[in-house]
């Protein structure tokens, strides 16, 4: 049992709302947080990304993505590397040594809806495109968006991951 030290009045606070999936479409967004996390089975690692929608009806909403960059399955790693390459191209940084270099750079997010699978309901998937979107169909408001000045230090939810032999060749794992 935990004492609150006072009486909590739920009628004075709005309850949290469920986050439904975003409808398919193109949104202006940016990565605001990232960290390497261990996979559930402990044999690999994935880059966890927190992405904010910057404008329109869904401004302020968050999306999350996972890139399985360290995995026993080479196909899984290749898919993750291709997605990371898309992100790098979308933010205009072809060589990065740390995921924070991808933070706070507006890009076009081509958001899609994945159908329910097993115990899980619908979810969003993200394709990362340069601002203005090479795939076309990006609203004009995105093309003219000017982001607010970035803070001196981008917020990071990263923790130093434990390097594994398989990860030593990854750019963000190399010692400078």
């Amino acid at each position: 049992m935990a004492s609150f030290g006072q009486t909590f009045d739920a009628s004075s606070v709005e309850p949290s709302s469920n986050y439904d999936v975003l409808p398919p479409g193109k949104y202006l967004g940016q990565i605001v947080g990232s960290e390497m996390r261990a996979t559930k089975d402990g044999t690999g690692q994935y880059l966890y990304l927190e992405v904010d929608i910057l404008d329109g009806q869904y401004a302020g909403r968050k999306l999350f993505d996972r890139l399985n960059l360290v995995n026993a399955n080479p196909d899984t790693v290749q898919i993750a590397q291709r997605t990371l390459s898309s992100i790098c191209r979308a933010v205009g940084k072809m060589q990065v040594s740390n995921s924070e270099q991808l933070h706070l750079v507006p890009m076009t997010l081509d958001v899609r809806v994945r159908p329910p699978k097993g115990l899980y309901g619908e979810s969003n998937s993200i394709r990362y495109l340069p601002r203005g979107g090479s795939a076309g169909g990006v609203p004009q408001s995105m093309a003219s968006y000017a982001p607010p000045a970035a803070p001196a230090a981008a917020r990071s939810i990263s923790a130093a991951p434990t390097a594994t032999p398989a990860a030593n060749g990854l750019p963000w794992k190399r010692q400078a």
Side-chain angles (χ1 to χ4, degrees):
M1 178 171 76
S3 173
F4 295 137
Q6 64 183 20
T7 301
F8 177 75
D9 180 7
S11 65
S12 67
V13 179
E14 288 294 319
S16 60
S17 59
N18 291 335
Y19 281 105
D20 294 327
V21 295
L22 288 180
K26 290 190 171 78
Y27 300 89
L28 185 66
Q30 65 185 4
I31 296 170
V32 296
S34 61
E35 71 178 297
M36 288 298 289
R37 293 183 176 179
T39 56
K40 187 184 288 187
D41 66 8
T43 63
Q45 294 182 327
Y46 61 91
L47 179 63
Y48 177 81
L49 300 173
E50 180 183 337
V51 182
D52 279 354
I53 303 295
L54 294 174
D55 70 353
Q57 175 183 357
Y58 299 101
R61 283 282 305 270
K62 294 194 178 295
L63 294 170
F64 303 93
D65 206 353
R66 296 177 181 187
L67 310 182
N68 287 289
L69 295 167
V70 181
N71 194 289
N73 183 335
D75 293 335
T76 299
V77 172
Q78 186 178 41
I79 291 167
Q81 288 176 342
R82 286 181 179 175
T83 301
L84 183 57
S85 178
S86 294
I87 294 169
C88 289
R89 293 167 194 274
V91 300
K93 297 181 181 179
M94 297 304 290
Q95 295 181 345
V96 294
S97 58
N98 187 304
S99 63
E100 287 186 35
Q101 293 174 283
L102 307 172
H103 292 194
L104 304 177
V105 181
M107 67 184 110
T108 300
L109 307 173
D110 184 7
V111 176
R112 298 173 182 196
V113 176
R114 285 186 293 243
K117 184 177 181 181
L119 300 173
Y120 302 100
E122 288 183 321
S123 62
N124 285 124
S125 64
I126 309 168
R127 250 184 27 164
Y128 300 89
L129 304 169
R131 201 162 117 197
S134 60
V138 177
Q140 184 59 32
S141 65
M142 287 186 179
S144 62
Y145 178 80
R155 182 171 69 92
S156 172
I157 56 174
S158 64
T162 306
T164 60
N168 288 337
L170 299 174
W172 53 91
K173 299 283 188 174
R174 292 184 193 140
Q175 298 295 324

